[in-house]
Amino acid sequence: MIAFQFYGLQLNEVERACYLLTGPESRDALTHADLPVPEQLLTAEEGSGALVARTGRDEYMAMLKAGASAPQSEWCFRRYDSLFELKGEGWIELMAHLCQYDFRQLKPGDWLMTSVAGVSCWLYHEIESGSLLIGADPGYRHYLIETFSAVPGDLSATRNPTGGAS
């Protein structure tokens, strides 16, 4: 489903099964499911149809595409994040209006947890597509779609002034 498309900039909702793994068995659960295991805190790795981020010492988030094996552990919990893919030329400019982070610094493969339009989100700059994945609590789905849809129009209005006095 496309949430919006504006001058080559596109926001799509993405379907992925999301999990939070916590506790000392987390790493083993990911390994047994043949999923990536990021070594550094606040980093992510793609592979085996999954994106896995290390969010704490013994805490990981796994976002799985259809067909990827889900991790199994007593401390593995299903999450229901709303996921969006922002792609196309100009997504960095759009995000500059929604977040304080300088997205010119965000390189493919980088993971970030920050506030977007006042909502706590996780973001990942995809390596192959160059798109920005955005995940948030599902309660903010409608608000984020509305906000992301409104900002390009606001930017367009400031770029194309009619000028002149009438």
Side-chain angles (χ1 to χ4, degrees):
M1 171 188 162
I2 296 177
F4 80 81
Q5 188 166 357
F6 186 85
Y7 292 109
L9 191 59
Q10 191 173 335
L11 181 74
N12 299 309
E13 288 192 84
V14 178
E15 292 289 328
R16 299 220 178 150
C18 298
Y19 297 89
L20 173 69
L21 292 93
T22 188
E25 298 173 9
S26 300
R27 175 182 286 281
D28 290 341
L30 291 169
T31 302
H32 284 75
D34 197 31
L35 297 173
V37 182
E39 293 298 323
Q40 300 295 316
L41 286 174
L42 298 178
T43 63
E45 289 185 27
E46 294 179 73
S48 303
L51 170 64
V52 177
R54 186 169 184 184
T55 55
R57 185 175 56 103
D58 289 327
E59 184 178 271
Y60 300 85
M61 287 177 54
M63 288 66 69
L64 311 179
K65 294 180 180 177
S69 297
Q72 302 295 315
S73 171
E74 181 179 352
W75 294 99
C76 178
F77 303 99
R78 182 78 158 89
R79 294 174 53 105
Y80 294 91
D81 295 32
S82 287
L83 299 177
F84 304 97
E85 176 188 44
L86 185 58
K87 65 182 183 177
E89 210 167 304
W91 72 257
I92 291 174
E93 181 182 358
L94 174 70
M95 290 302 292
H97 294 273
L98 297 171
C99 181
Q100 295 179 354
Y101 184 79
D102 181 358
F103 284 91
R104 296 172 297 184
Q105 298 178 49
L106 194 70
K107 305 295 180 225
D110 283 354
W111 168 269
L112 177 66
M113 296 176 78
T114 189
S115 177
V116 176
V119 176
S120 294
C121 296
W122 60 260
L123 300 99
Y124 179 72
H125 190 175
E126 289 189 307
I127 294 172
E128 283 189 36
S129 70
S131 299
L132 183 68
L133 281 183
I134 303 166
D137 183 282
Y140 292 103
R141 178 187 170 272
H142 181 73
Y143 167 74
L144 287 171
I145 290 172
E146 291 295 316
T147 301
F148 276 104
S149 298
V151 172
D154 293 344
L155 293 175
S156 178
T158 60
R159 274 196 200 135
N160 301 316
T162 56
S166 52

